[in-house]
Amino acid sequence: MSTGVNTGGQGDGVDRVDTLDLVTTRAWIHAVALAVSAHRDELTELDAAIGDADHGVNLQRGFAAVEAATGGAGHAGAGHAPETVGQLLGKVGMTLISSVGGASGPLYGTAFRAIGRALTTPEADGEQFALALHAGLDAVRALGAAAVGDKTMVDALTPAVAAFDAAVTAGGDLRAAARAAADAAEDGARATTPLQARKGRASYLGERSIGHQDPGATSTALIFTALAETFERRG
Ligand SMILES: [Mg+2]
């Protein structure tokens, strides 16, 4: 693939972004940590409506632990010196699994670990990252046994991965693919509101889960929006 040359896909004279490198990946993870903190109370309120009101606090704790473990935001990083984007994202996943309670830690942790395992070269291009996102989605589906329409994070993750893949296949760069994924994730999260939950704690509420946006789908949208904004800041 071309690098640093505007060969189309943007249409506005902006250079293509064709590689996800370690610096950008660290910036993404830091942006996720900031977004989770900024939206902690919103996530908690969504989880209070149909769950146990811990999603915001859990994710904030998890990504704070991730920052400490990977050296983000001025942390020492506990000697973690990844040589590939995949190693860094694998560390993110391991840290989430070990630091976040409830279902969201294992689910997000498993997703990041699967994405990391799929990325074995120092940097990733769009096709590699699309494949890795598919691996993450497959891992979440296998662990949570949830399908689209069950009112879970899968409702945001599935269209996000599809949109990312479609954008790359159409020749879009990583910035365009990440924006398409973020928009699809936000649409998917909003679309959970009228659904009745069929998986997770919210399913215990039956019809009373209708009318509330799913907190896991909402945090999934935050993660993809952080990715899009990270590429957009990179310019
Ligand atoms: Mg909860």
Side-chain angles (χ1 to χ4, degrees):
M1 298 179 76
S2 65
T3 53
V5 180
N6 183 20
T7 54
Q10 301 293 319
D12 55 3
V14 178
D15 282 352
R16 290 178 62 95
V17 177
D18 284 319
T19 55
L20 176 67
D21 58 18
L22 274 167
V23 170
T24 307
T25 305
R26 283 189 194 284
W28 172 34
I29 297 306
H30 182 54
V32 172
L34 292 178
V36 164
S37 288
H39 293 268
R40 182 195 65 183
D41 292 348
E42 176 193 342
L43 294 173
T44 292
E45 284 165 23
L46 292 173
D47 198 26
I50 61 172
D52 56 358
D54 63 357
H55 193 54
V57 171
N58 278 345
L59 280 191
Q60 186 180 38
R61 182 192 306 123
F63 278 93
V66 164
E67 294 253 82
T70 60
H75 291 281
H80 184 62
E83 294 175 357
T84 69
V85 167
Q87 288 170 5
L88 175 55
L89 293 174
K91 181 77 169 177
V92 170
M94 293 285 288
T95 306
L96 291 175
I97 289 170
S98 62
S99 65
V100 182
S104 58
L107 286 166
Y108 277 123
T110 296
F112 276 103
R113 283 191 71 191
I115 292 167
R117 267 200 304 274
L119 299 173
T120 55
T121 51
E123 302 178 348
D125 65 20
E127 290 172 19
Q128 289 170 324
F129 198 58
L131 284 172
L133 289 175
H134 278 294
L137 173 60
D138 289 346
V140 167
R141 280 178 171 159
L143 181 62
V148 170
D150 287 345
K151 198 179 181 97
T152 73
M153 62 188 284
V154 169
D155 286 5
L157 187 55
T158 301
V161 172
F164 190 98
D165 195 336
V168 169
T169 299
D173 72 347
L174 280 161
R175 187 195 296 115
R179 175 47 63 189
D183 290 349
E186 288 175 9
D187 287 348
R190 274 193 292 273
T192 63
T193 300
L195 299 177
Q196 177 174 333
R198 290 194 293 246
K199 291 288 176 185
R201 191 179 289 266
S203 66
Y204 307 156
L205 294 176
E207 290 182 1
R208 282 180 292 140
S209 64
I210 295 172
H212 304 281
Q213 185 167 312
D214 181 65
T218 305
S219 56
T220 294
L222 289 179
I223 290 169
F224 280 98
T225 297
L227 180 63
E229 290 176 353
T230 298
F231 281 124
E232 286 157 7
R233 266 196 302 278
R234 178 174 151 177

